[in-house]
Amino acid sequence: MENEFAKVMSERTDEELIKIVTVERERYNTTAIEAADAEVEKRNIDTSEFVKIREKATAEKEQKQKVDSNVVGSGIRFVNLLIDFIVWLVLAFIISFVIGLFVQPTDQGMISLIGYILIFGTFIAYYAIMEIKFQKTIGKFVTKTKVVKMNGEKPIDGDIMTRTFCRLIPFDRLSFLFVKNGIHDFLSKTKVVKDNVE
């Protein structure tokens, strides 16, 4: 009877197979490893590649473990939330005050529209600008934390924008109280870690 994993392993790339039979070996059962070994042999993959791929995969695994061990807990996330909420409210108030000096609409609908634009605009601008520029908000400066990608690298602007807009999802603010990575972290593939992580 043919190994049940033979087809699955035949669809893997050479690099994936090498990772499976080297650094990820403990994650697979014996039958899967046998299928991967057989596929490596069948393809006649140059074993000199094993060393380079193993070293790269080991370095990636160590970096991921380092990042994971520095992910901050719910308490610090809550402090970040409180500080950033206060800063955002102050910013929104100041901007509203300044705009109110120059624009004084009489229509109640227009006043409501301007209010919503100011509330959401300052919210999005605050988080997006701070995290794109510094990888942190005022709250994160205070708690000495920052935003990183899952592998510890600096997030690109698109990651931060996704993260920022995902904050508008209802109950997002409560999600980090139950798990280390809240909804906006999960969807943007980012984490908040202690600032000493490279």
Side-chain angles (χ1 to χ4, degrees):
M1 182 178 150
E2 187 180 359
N3 184 321
E4 60 190 291
F5 292 101
K7 182 173 182 345
V8 174
M9 294 304 170
S10 70
E11 296 168 353
R12 300 293 179 113
T13 65
D14 288 359
E15 187 170 327
E16 288 172 328
L17 282 171
I18 293 169
K19 282 183 181 178
I20 290 168
V21 300
T22 58
V23 291
E24 296 179 357
R25 198 172 189 95
E26 72 278 357
R27 291 179 47 201
Y28 293 88
N29 71 32
T30 309
T31 314
I33 293 296
E34 288 171 3
D37 283 332
E39 187 63 29
V40 166
E41 197 172 310
K42 179 178 163 186
R43 292 187 196 178
N44 199 23
I45 297 174
D46 182 9
T47 54
S48 66
E49 290 293 307
F50 280 35
V51 175
K52 284 191 280 186
I53 291 173
R54 183 186 305 133
E55 286 172 358
K56 180 181 171 197
T58 302
E60 288 171 357
K61 186 177 178 182
E62 287 171 0
Q63 178 62 19
K64 185 178 182 319
Q65 288 171 338
K66 181 180 176 185
V67 170
D68 289 347
S69 69
N70 280 290
V71 171
V72 298
S74 298
I76 291 175
R77 298 297 298 268
F78 186 69
V79 171
N80 288 347
L81 170 66
L82 287 178
I83 294 169
D84 291 332
F85 182 75
I86 291 166
V87 171
W88 166 59
L89 282 180
V90 169
L91 277 174
F93 176 77
I94 291 169
I95 292 170
S96 298
F97 179 76
V98 170
I99 289 176
L101 294 175
F102 300 103
V103 179
Q104 296 181 349
T106 54
D107 178 26
Q108 187 60 41
M110 185 57 77
I111 292 171
S112 296
L113 177 63
I114 291 171
Y116 286 127
I117 290 171
L118 284 172
I119 288 169
F120 288 111
T122 54
F123 179 86
I124 290 166
Y126 170 67
Y127 281 101
I129 292 168
M130 292 297 292
E131 289 186 346
I132 286 172
K133 184 91 172 136
F134 304 108
Q135 281 182 267
K136 49 179 77 180
T137 57
I138 302 297
K140 291 179 190 73
F141 272 107
V142 171
T143 60
K144 294 181 173 50
T145 57
K146 67 180 178 179
V147 178
V148 296
K149 291 169 89 168
M150 295 296 209
N151 62 4
E153 294 176 1
K154 180 180 180 181
I156 61 172
D157 295 356
D159 297 330
I160 297 299
M161 291 308 294
T162 300
R163 180 179 169 81
T164 300
F165 280 101
C166 287
R167 290 175 192 275
L168 299 174
I169 295 171
F171 305 111
D172 171 67
R173 299 301 188 161
L174 299 176
S175 64
F176 68 85
L177 294 174
F178 305 104
V179 290
K180 278 193 170 183
N181 286 332
I183 294 171
H184 65 268
D185 297 316
F186 176 76
L187 294 175
S188 63
K189 295 181 173 56
T190 57
K191 296 181 176 191
V192 175
V193 296
K194 297 172 193 164
D195 200 12
N196 61 351
V197 177
E198 296 299 322

